[in-house]
Amino acid sequence: MAKAAWDAEELRDRVRGFAVAALAADDAVLIADETGDIKKGTKTAGVQRQYTGTAGRVENAQVSVHLSYGSGRGRTLIDCELYLGRNWAGTTADHERRCAEQGIPPERASAVATKPELARRMLERALAASVPFTYFLADEAYGQCRALRAWLEEHQVRYVLAIPKTEVLPLPDGRTRQARELWALVPEDAFERRSCADGAKGPREYDWAAVQLASVSTGLERHLLIRRSTVPNKKDKKTGGLVREIAYFLCHTHPGATVAELVAAAGQRWMVEESFQVAKGQVGLDEHEVRKWCSWYRHTTVCMLAMAFLVTVRSRFIPAPPMTPDPRP
């Protein structure tokens, strides 16, 4: 994996084009998320004690950020970046020697590139390759990053991003309010009951409402999309009783976007979780035994190639919907 003469970046780009050609549709989305692999020792590139959702706790692990492409025709991983935390960023001689042993590029070894920054780099590559998609989706770890949101808005990328309840949002009249404060002001009759996707037990129904926020200079609009569970299912920390769980999504979209459209977009984020399950269960994404930087990228890229092949074969049994020109900016 380390010594063979081939370019993982070139293969990555070819895999992306191959997958997009098979899966492109009017409902296609790009989704950023991370996954982790628990490791022993300290020499594998990127390994350190850090939180990983795979274990649900802090472990000695390797964490990577991925970009998934999905539509009604299927979903697969199309890009990847290995996350290097503080243990891998420094300027001392010992640190430089350690990174050199693993083949880590100097620009990645000198400073930490955050997970939202890694997601932005992958999005840049997707935009440069003219990948067709409707929305960019991600969870709170990315949605609360204002630098990422500003970049998306500057490039007129429509998004639906989960945000924490304390996120401060701008209103059309110039005031600002936290997301949870805006939820408290929404009248009951403004909520609509809709299914965002089908789950293992049938349609995943929630109550939804949207609040108009300040628009951006590019002519697109911002909305706060609020999701409320239909029954009490979360324990209140103050009273101990059950309350309805509330989730918040910041949306950057075209004028006139409906709640139904935003709900459908928000419900597609689950596809990245399915991509990870397939990658680890069927093509060995988490079964590498490599330490070096280039070896990790080569193994991961070959796994993405295997996934793209499988999803392309499967997509041939799904009638291709006609691609309609998107008149929206």
Side-chain angles (χ1 to χ4, degrees), residues 12-13 16-17 20 29-31 67-69 78-79 118-133 136 151 157:
R12 174 202 64 203
D13 293 344
R16 180 184 59 224
V20 169
V29 293
L30 286 171
I31 317 162
L67 193 65
S68 179
Y69 187 72
I78 62 169
D79 208 339
L118 297 178
R120 184 189 65 79
R121 295 180 187 184
M122 292 187 288
L123 276 168
E124 282 184 333
R125 293 195 284 263
L127 293 178
S130 300
V131 173
F133 67 100
F136 169 65
W151 183 88
V157 175

Side-chain angles (χ1 to χ4, degrees), residues 84-300:
L84 300 178
R86 294 182 180 180
N87 288 6
W88 292 90
T91 57
T92 65
D94 287 343
H95 171 77
E96 292 177 356
R97 184 180 65 254
R98 181 189 181 209
C99 290
E101 288 176 353
Q102 306 310 324
I104 296 173
E107 63 272 16
R108 290 295 304 275
S110 58
V112 174
T114 65
K115 295 167 187 174
E117 168 63 19
L118 297 178
R120 184 189 65 79
R121 295 180 187 184
M122 292 187 288
L123 276 168
E124 282 184 333
R125 293 195 284 263
L127 293 178
S130 300
V131 173
F133 67 100
T134 55
Y135 286 95
F136 169 65
L137 313 174
D139 64 19
E140 284 188 17
Y142 304 86
Q144 65 186 347
C145 178
R146 296 185 180 183
L148 175 60
R149 298 199 316 246
W151 183 88
L152 292 168
E153 292 171 5
E154 178 184 350
H155 289 78
Q156 299 190 48
V157 175
R158 289 172 286 182
Y159 62 69
V160 177
L161 303 175
I163 57 173
K165 62 183 179 182
T166 55
E167 188 70 26
V168 177
L169 304 171
L171 298 177
D173 60 8
R175 295 179 300 159
T176 59
R177 289 285 183 89
Q178 289 186 353
R180 60 184 173 185
E181 294 175 327
L182 292 175
W183 164 70
L185 298 174
V186 175
E188 183 61 32
D189 58 7
F191 282 93
E192 304 176 16
R193 183 155 299 183
R194 293 183 176 274
S195 171
C196 60
D198 287 336
K201 299 180 180 179
R204 296 164 53 199
E205 288 191 335
Y206 296 92
D207 293 332
W208 302 84
V211 177
Q212 180 79 42
L213 302 174
S215 298
V216 294
S217 58
T218 59
L220 299 183
E221 295 181 347
R222 291 194 196 102
H223 298 269
L224 172 65
L225 182 66
I226 303 171
R227 186 190 74 192
R228 185 182 66 186
S229 60
T230 58
V231 296
N233 61 344
K234 183 179 179 180
K235 188 174 182 179
D236 186 274
K237 294 181 180 180
K238 294 182 179 179
T239 65
L242 291 178
V243 296
R244 295 187 184 186
E245 184 179 17
I246 308 295
Y248 305 91
F249 303 85
L250 182 58
C251 307
H252 178 243
T253 185
H254 58 278
T258 64
V259 171
E261 178 181 341
L262 299 178
V263 168
Q268 288 179 297
R269 195 175 66 82
W270 64 271
M271 290 194 292
V272 70
E273 301 296 341
E274 185 176 271
S275 293
F276 286 144
Q277 290 176 5
V278 171
K280 294 184 177 183
Q282 298 185 18
V283 300
L285 182 68
D286 60 343
E287 295 177 8
H288 61 81
E289 295 183 4
V290 298
R291 287 186 173 181
K292 294 186 180 296
W293 173 269
C294 73
S295 301
W296 182 88
Y297 275 91
R298 288 178 172 186
H299 172 86
T300 304

Side-chain angles (χ1 to χ4, degrees), residues 44-47 62-66 80-85 104 108 113 118 288 291-293 296-297:
T44 303
V47 163
Q62 193 178 44
V63 172
S64 53
V65 181
H66 296 258
C80 60
E81 288 285 359
L82 183 60
Y83 173 70
L84 300 178
I104 296 173
R108 290 295 304 275
L118 297 178
H288 61 81
R291 287 186 173 181
K292 294 186 180 296
W293 173 269
W296 182 88
Y297 275 91

